[in-house]
Amino acid sequence: MAEALRRVLSAGRAAGPAGDGAAGPPLLLLGTPRSAQTSLLFAAALEAAGEGRGPVLFLTRRPLQSLPLNTPAARNPWRLQKVRFQYPSSVPELLQLLASAHEAPGPALSLLLLDGLEEYLAEDSGIQEAAYLAALLLDTAAYFSHRLGASGRCGLVVALETQKEADSDAPHLTLLQRYFPAQCWLQPDTLGSGQQHCLRASLESSKLSPRTEWSVTFLPNGEMKIIPWPTQASEPSPDKNCSSTESQSLTL
């Protein structure tokens, strides 16, 4: 999943050695409230749906009230039909869904997404339960990877909301990082003009790979603009906002 997200943040361009459609390592998407995790998950789902492989399974606790993005891909019926939404409302329902996923008819999944992991963990803060859920997610992705065979692997990404930036003391985070070698942190950036919502996305595919960062801007109409994070300065120039004219709209 790390590579699917990298392709989203790279505006669909090749993502390096794994840019041939490889799923990459399981990824944990981390951010504070209002860090647009759902929007990025949905963008990754659309990216995977456009690769011509298997369908995408998007798990979340409650139905989405509206599509979190307004892009050509989000309005493409062919891509949307390949994204399957399911809404397990509790940990037992989620575990049952994952345990029985191999019984579902149809082609093997190419991507498994889980939004709002913190809501499920809040039901029971036990370490063993969290470890079991993480292991079952990995086992489910591994099963579909085996079914895909030479055509590719099933990617996995799980979104976990923390209460503060880089909250290394968040419950279960240390445990989850053992299961998910790739992580992407979403940190709020200064607001642009109007009602723009700006984030800094920092992706680490593994402990040995360099960190890659982008500035992500969500416009009021649901469009998403992405530019590489400036490497020369840690703060944006006061006469520019994070949706520079050099940014590229997401057009999956």
Side-chain angles (χ1 to χ4, degrees), residues 72-157:
R75 298 187 295 271
N76 185 320
W78 180 79
R79 292 203 190 199
L80 288 174
Q81 288 174 2
K82 294 190 66 177
V83 182
R84 302 174 181 174
F85 291 92
Q86 293 196 36
Y87 309 102
S89 61
S90 64
V91 170
E93 286 188 24
L94 176 59
L95 295 176
Q96 176 61 31
L97 188 154
L98 294 172
S100 60
H102 66 284
E103 300 174 355
L109 298 177
S110 64
L111 181 60
L112 174 60
L113 304 168
L114 174 62
D115 194 15
L117 175 60
E118 74 285 344
E119 296 188 29
Y120 294 104
L121 296 180
E123 294 183 22
D124 192 331
S125 58
I127 295 296
Q128 290 185 339
E129 289 77 6
Y132 178 69
L133 176 55
L136 191 54
L137 285 163
L138 291 172
D139 285 346
T140 303
Y143 166 77
F144 286 112
S145 294
H146 178 73
R147 281 187 55 188
L148 287 170
S151 62
R153 293 174 54 199
C154 176
L156 172 64
V157 62

Side-chain angles (χ1 to χ4, degrees), residues 30 39 47 60 65 105 111 142 144 156 176 206 230-231 240 251:
L30 299 155
S39 295
E47 171 74 15
T60 182
Q65 298 302 309
L111 181 60
F144 286 112
L156 172 64
L176 292 170
S206 70
T231 57
K240 295 183 180 180
T251 54

Side-chain angles (χ1 to χ4, degrees), residues 1-3 18 22-28 138 153 155-157 179-183 204-206:
M1 173 51 202
E3 296 308 318
L27 183 137
L28 196 60
L138 291 172
R153 293 174 54 199
L156 172 64
V157 62
Y179 289 88
F180 295 85
Q183 285 117 47
E204 289 185 355
S205 298
S206 70

Side-chain angles (χ1 to χ4, degrees), residues 184-196:
C184 182
W185 285 93
L186 303 176
Q187 303 175 34
D189 191 19
T190 56
L191 288 177
S193 60
Q195 300 299 315
Q196 295 174 356

